[in-house]
Amino acid sequence: MDTSAPDISFDRDGVCNYCTDFLARSGHILHEDSMTRQARLDSCVARIRKAGQGRPYDCVVGVSGGVDSSWVLVTAMKWGLRPLAVHMDNGWNSELAQNNIANLIRGLGVDLYTHVIDWQEYRALMQAFFDADVIDIELLYDNAMLAVNFQQAAKFGVGYILSGSNTSSEGMAMPRNWAWHKYDKKNIQSIARRFGNVRISSFPAIGTFGRLWHEVVRSRRWVNFLDYLDYNKFEAMSALTERYGYKPYPYKHYESIFTRFYQGYILPTKFGVDKRRLHLGTLIAAGQLDRGKAIEDLEGIPFPSQQALDHDRQYFLKKMNWSSGQLTAYLQRPRVEHDRYDSERVMYEALGRVYQKLFSSRQ
């Protein structure tokens, strides 16, 4: 981590507050003894099975083609659960991601629901976010993914959504200026209206009250399932490769072509943010990666090669119907904060503090 996180500070040993905070919050998970962890896992699995009795599925697992979500699906099956795999296709899937998902679904014999977003509507929403000059273009995908998982859980009466989010590979706090919170439906609507008056019709979206309805009123739980396991990202990747023909990506979330271009080029170029710092820093602090190796990884561009970057750049321009000049002009414009537009972040965070006190112990 470096000073691209504006609130960063370092102690006299050169350790930053992001690492110390991560270890203080997460040590009980990272260093949990095996018997306690197994007891927690057994209890969690028993609750999910009980809630799913008499239903075709007892949990929903969102899959992207990445390591974390893939391992959730594998381990859910291992522990005798009956998951419905859910994938959200926004038109930017890489062929590698599609193959990884197909191999996994076929190998495990689970049902898969894929929600395909209307491309013209999604492209118009992306264009609005580009025109707004806000940092979190991925708010669109992430929000839709959350909505689709809750929708499928509601359709089948499922009480648990098992997430690939986890402490050991992504538990370090995201700097506040690097992204926006993911349940801000109002922010999406505001930007869509402001730029091009984009009408949202087929795009699945969820806001603060939508989440409260699902989780508080309907008792649907979003569970970080990997935190119930002794999860090592590299060991999981090796097992997926050996058993299911999984092919890994060079960096986190690179299963999407747009995410790859966004994290590897747009974020560093326009916003001065290199998310590899956060992802690698978390793995170092969790004891899964050597710091020297991580520093070596940071020396080059966030792409396997310049040729790969050039290829993604051309793909992006063609798919968005942009010229090179439009991309250059976009990258040179100053950043605009998300809360320049309507937002529910303040309300969400206030309600979130209450929610955490009420429900965190129940997972």
Side-chain angles (χ1 to χ4, degrees):
M1 295 294 290
D2 68 356
T3 53
S4 57
D7 62 341
I8 199 166
S9 61
F10 299 87
D11 64 21
R12 58 186 176 186
D13 296 319
V15 180
C16 81
N17 56 309
Y18 280 86
C19 288
T20 53
D21 174 69
F22 167 63
L23 293 172
R25 287 185 295 103
S26 308
H28 67 290
I29 293 176
L30 297 175
H31 306 298
E32 187 175 30
D33 69 85
S34 58
M35 291 184 63
T36 303
R37 178 180 285 114
Q38 187 63 53
R40 282 201 309 117
L41 175 62
D42 291 341
S43 177
C44 177
V45 169
R47 290 196 303 271
I48 296 172
R49 284 177 178 164
K50 182 178 180 180
Q53 288 178 354
R55 306 184 188 280
Y57 311 104
D58 50 28
C59 58
V60 163
V61 177
V63 291
S64 65
V67 174
D68 299 335
S69 63
S70 297
W71 197 242
V72 171
L73 194 61
V74 169
T75 51
M77 292 291 290
K78 175 183 176 181
W79 291 103
L81 297 176
R82 296 175 292 111
L84 170 66
V86 174
H87 177 63
M88 219 276 295
D89 183 355
N90 66 346
W92 289 98
N93 274 356
S94 67
E95 184 177 349
L96 192 56
Q98 292 174 324
N99 287 337
N100 280 345
I101 293 171
N103 289 342
L104 194 62
I105 296 301
R106 184 168 52 251
L108 292 171
V110 301
D111 292 340
L112 171 68
Y113 170 77
T114 298
H115 183 94
V116 180
I117 295 181
D118 178 79
W119 167 244
Q120 295 305 320
E121 182 177 340
Y122 194 77
R123 180 191 174 280
L125 287 169
M126 290 185 71
Q127 185 63 55
F129 267 61
F130 285 123
D131 292 341
D133 290 306
V134 292
I135 188 170
D136 199 350
I137 315 297
E138 291 281 66
L139 170 59
L140 292 169
Y141 176 87
D142 294 335
N143 184 271
M145 178 271 295
L146 293 166
V148 167
N149 277 274
F150 275 121
Q151 287 171 5
Q152 290 302 302
K155 178 179 179 179
F156 292 102
V158 172
Y160 290 88
I161 300 170
L162 308 188
S163 167
S165 298
N166 67 92
T167 296
S168 65
S169 74
E170 55 186 28
M172 192 176 288
M174 178 78 68
R176 194 173 176 87
N177 69 323
W178 283 20
W180 195 247
H181 90 86
K182 302 302 185 180
Y183 284 91
D184 203 340
K185 180 180 178 179
K186 181 182 284 189
N187 200 237
I188 294 172
Q189 293 171 327
S190 176
I191 292 172
R193 285 193 305 268
R194 177 79 173 270
F195 298 93
N197 196 26
V198 181
R199 178 172 176 163
I200 297 177
S201 57
S202 66
F203 180 82
I206 186 168
T208 302
F209 290 111
R211 181 183 181 184
L212 288 175
W213 167 259
H214 283 289
E215 295 194 340
V216 178
V217 179
R218 305 306 300 173
S219 297
R220 297 188 181 101
R221 297 285 176 260
W222 195 279
V223 178
N224 294 344
F225 193 63
L226 295 179
D227 282 350
Y228 290 85
L229 311 171
D230 184 14
Y231 179 59
N232 182 291
K233 190 179 190 77
F234 301 102
E235 292 175 359
M237 190 183 302
S238 177
L240 288 168
T241 302
E242 181 180 342
R243 299 175 199 169
Y244 303 100
Y246 182 88
K247 294 185 178 179
Y249 314 96
Y251 298 109
K252 190 174 181 65
H253 300 314
Y254 275 32
E255 57 267 25
S256 160
I257 297 173
F258 174 70
T259 302
R260 189 167 65 207
F261 186 65
Y262 168 73
Q263 287 190 182
Y265 185 69
I266 291 175
L267 273 183
T269 305
K270 182 177 175 72
F271 300 100
V273 169
D274 187 345
K275 282 192 175 180
R276 293 179 301 170
R277 294 186 178 277
L278 184 73
H279 301 151
L280 295 171
T282 304
L283 291 170
I284 295 166
Q288 294 193 20
L289 184 66
D290 176 74
R291 187 172 185 272
K293 175 65 169 62
I295 290 174
E296 283 182 23
D297 287 346
L298 284 173
E299 290 178 354
I301 61 173
F303 266 84
S305 66
Q306 183 63 45
Q307 183 180 12
L309 171 57
D310 293 341
H311 178 273
D312 278 6
R313 184 177 184 275
Q314 290 304 313
Y315 186 91
F316 170 83
L317 293 175
K318 183 177 181 180
K319 195 167 181 69
M320 289 300 299
N321 195 25
W322 281 22
S323 67
S324 294
Q326 283 176 286
L327 177 58
T328 300
Y330 165 70
L331 294 172
Q332 290 177 347
R333 293 198 305 264
R335 167 180 178 159
V336 176
E337 298 303 327
H338 278 265
D339 55 9
R340 178 81 65 87
Y341 313 102
D342 293 340
S343 170
E344 53 192 283
R345 181 170 188 162
V346 173
M347 176 183 66
Y348 177 87
E349 291 179 343
L351 291 173
R353 288 189 288 270
V354 176
Y355 174 86
Q356 284 298 323
K357 290 180 181 179
L358 291 174
F359 294 101
S360 60
S361 63
R362 299 188 186 183
Q363 294 186 8

